[in-house]
Amino acid sequence: MNPDPNPNPNSNPNPNSDPTRNLSPEERDRLHTEEERVEISQRSLILSRIIRIISYLVSALLVLLFLRFLLRLSGANPENMFADFVYNLSEPFFAPFDNLFMNPTDLVGTNVFDVNVLVAMGAYALLGWLVIRLIYSFFAPQ
């Protein structure tokens, strides 16, 4: 039987004492440097995840707008369930660009090369890139 109440001889019985008090100054400097590296690494990981999420969201929006462009270009029936779904889902993002250039809107079921959708795709891609660069410039480790 071990009568010692503290089974781990390396544990510190006083929790308020400094755990680095027995370290040499060189070891303290190394420990501090490693702690800084870990903190920078954690911030970089969080930053890369945020940038990846923004990239995925912008990519999904571009795919949705490209589907809208292809449906208009191929003359898809707007009363079709899939076409109606794509049009309704992309409408809030397309609305600011709807009348930028004049397209024949009364031609249902005909092939329309909708330049407005292409402009919207370019604008959202540029906006996504700018947001990513802005986040990176503010929060990237120096």
Side-chain angles (χ1 to χ4, degrees):
M1 290 294 215
N2 188 358
D4 186 15
N6 190 2
N8 187 355
N10 294 330
S11 68
N12 194 348
N14 186 359
N16 294 330
S17 67
D18 184 16
T20 63
R21 70 178 173 189
N22 295 332
L23 298 178
S24 69
E26 295 84 21
E27 290 173 328
R28 285 184 188 161
D29 288 343
R30 268 189 293 192
L31 180 63
H32 181 68
T33 303
E34 287 303 314
E35 288 172 345
E36 286 178 349
R37 286 182 184 168
V38 167
E39 183 181 332
I40 289 171
S41 173
Q42 289 173 342
R43 276 192 281 153
S44 295
L45 179 65
I46 292 170
L47 180 67
S48 68
R49 286 182 179 168
I50 290 171
I51 288 175
R52 196 175 319 136
I53 288 170
I54 292 171
S55 297
Y56 286 147
L57 291 174
V58 170
S59 297
L61 177 59
L62 293 177
V63 166
L64 180 67
L65 290 172
F66 187 69
L67 280 173
R68 182 183 182 107
F69 175 77
L70 286 179
L71 289 172
R72 290 282 312 245
L73 183 64
S74 63
N77 181 6
E79 295 174 8
N80 176 277
M81 189 183 302
F82 178 73
D84 184 52
F85 173 74
V86 170
Y87 289 145
N88 287 333
L89 192 59
S90 64
E91 185 60 34
F93 304 104
F94 177 68
F97 305 95
D98 192 16
N99 292 325
L100 187 61
F101 299 105
M102 298 305 292
N103 281 329
T105 56
D106 57 346
L107 301 174
V108 175
T110 60
N111 303 12
V112 177
F113 188 85
D114 198 351
V115 178
N116 297 327
V117 177
L118 296 177
V119 171
M121 289 173 63
Y124 285 120
L126 180 63
L127 183 65
W129 179 78
L130 287 173
V131 167
I132 288 171
R133 294 305 306 165
L134 185 68
I135 289 173
Y136 189 73
S137 66
F138 277 116
F139 299 109
Q142 300 300 326

